[in-house]
């Protein structure tokens, strides 16, 4: 696991690699980087000379995933649901006290707690909107191979996973506008849905 980038000089064999930005295999001068077996995850880019090997077992490569971001997103969703439920309950108490009287003088305290929950809920919604923006950026993630794919390789973008069992040459895998995994052998070649 690394902060921003994992740079593999030659090859990673049955490794678990996870980077916040990118994983680059084959960074040593004159080396052809390979990712064979194991799991590789990065938010924006995974690049290798070759993904997989004919006898290397299953190689899993995922781009567009940020485990820390997704964990925060899930926790935030729980917080939003909790704050919303609490605000609903307090609103009902406020209405009850307003309609049936407030002999214990709790209305001001309940209103203050209700407003505090509404502010917390609004703050969490704003944070989720920012996380939505960051998740959307990950939709531009790419998996690039400079030579091709060999053996059993699963590629994934977010929750979309494709099993590659036939050869693909040098090119890039990414999500198109419809959220489908596509392959392109170069800038001026048509995209092929995987």
């Amino acid at each position: 696991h690394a902060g921003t980038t994992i740079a593999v000089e030659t090859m990673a064999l049955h490794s678990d690699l996870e980077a916040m930005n990118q994983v680059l295999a084959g960074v040593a001068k004159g080396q052809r980087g390979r990712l064979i077996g194991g799991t590789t995850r990065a938010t924006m880019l995974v690049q290798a000379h070759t993904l997989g090997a004919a006898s290397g077992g299953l190689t899993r490569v995922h781009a567009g995933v940020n485990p820390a971001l997704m964990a925060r997103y899930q926790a935030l969703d729980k917080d939003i649901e909790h704050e919303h439920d609490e605000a609903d309950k307090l609103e009902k108490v406020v209405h009850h006290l307003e309609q049936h009287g407030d002999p214990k003088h709790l209305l001001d305290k309940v209103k203050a707690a209700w407003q505090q929950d509404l502010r917390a809920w609004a703050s969490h919604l704003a944070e989720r909107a920012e996380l939505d923006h960051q998740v959307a950026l990950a939709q531009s993630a790419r998996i690039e191979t400079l030579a091709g794919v060999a053996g059993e390789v699963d590629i994934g973008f977010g929750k979309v996973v494709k099993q590659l069992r036939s050869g693909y040459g040098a090119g890039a895998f990414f999500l198109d506008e419809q959220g489908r995994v596509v392959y392109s052998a170069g800038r001026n070649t048509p995209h092929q849905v995987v």
Side-chain angles (χ1 to χ4, degrees):
H1 299 272
T4 303
T5 300
I6 294 177
V8 178
E9 286 189 14
T10 56
M11 94 166 68
L13 184 60
H14 298 286
S15 300
D16 184 13
L17 306 174
E18 184 176 302
M20 296 299 284
N21 188 22
Q22 59 187 357
V23 175
L24 307 172
V27 297
K29 187 173 181 163
Q31 294 298 318
R32 296 182 178 189
R34 297 180 70 108
L35 296 174
I36 301 171
T39 303
T40 301
R41 292 177 294 279
T43 304
M44 297 307 296
L45 174 66
V46 175
Q47 184 182 72
H49 187 267
T50 305
L51 298 173
S55 60
L58 178 61
T59 302
R60 293 180 179 92
V61 181
H62 299 272
V65 293
N66 180 330
L69 180 67
M70 294 315 291
R72 178 62 190 137
Y73 201 90
Q74 290 170 349
L76 196 56
D77 274 348
K78 287 181 183 176
D79 290 346
I80 288 169
E81 183 178 346
H82 175 74
E83 295 296 340
H84 185 262
D85 290 346
E86 290 300 311
D88 280 350
K89 290 176 189 174
L90 289 170
E91 181 181 20
K92 290 175 184 174
V93 172
V94 166
H95 289 308
H96 177 79
L97 291 173
E98 287 175 340
Q99 290 176 354
H100 297 66
D102 182 19
K104 295 184 181 179
H105 308 289
L106 296 174
L107 185 60
D108 288 340
K109 289 180 183 177
V110 174
K111 280 184 176 179
W114 179 33
Q115 292 301 315
Q116 182 178 354
D117 274 351
L118 288 174
R119 284 190 296 274
W121 184 45
S123 173
H124 288 134
L125 288 173
E127 184 179 351
R128 186 170 69 183
E130 174 57 30
L131 289 179
D132 285 338
H133 174 71
Q134 291 178 29
V135 168
L137 287 176
Q139 295 301 308
S140 63
R142 296 171 62 84
I143 298 172
E144 298 178 354
T145 174
L146 304 176
V149 176
E152 295 183 23
V153 177
D154 287 357
I155 61 168
F157 294 89
K159 295 180 180 178
V160 180
V161 177
K162 294 293 180 178
Q163 297 177 340
L164 307 180
R165 300 301 184 259
S166 60
Y168 287 88
F173 299 91
F174 51 92
L175 292 177
D176 68 4
E177 296 80 25
Q178 290 83 36
R180 301 174 302 184
V181 176
V182 296
Y183 166 77
S184 175
R187 294 197 188 277
N188 297 325
T189 60
H191 301 162
Q192 170 187 348
V193 176
V194 176

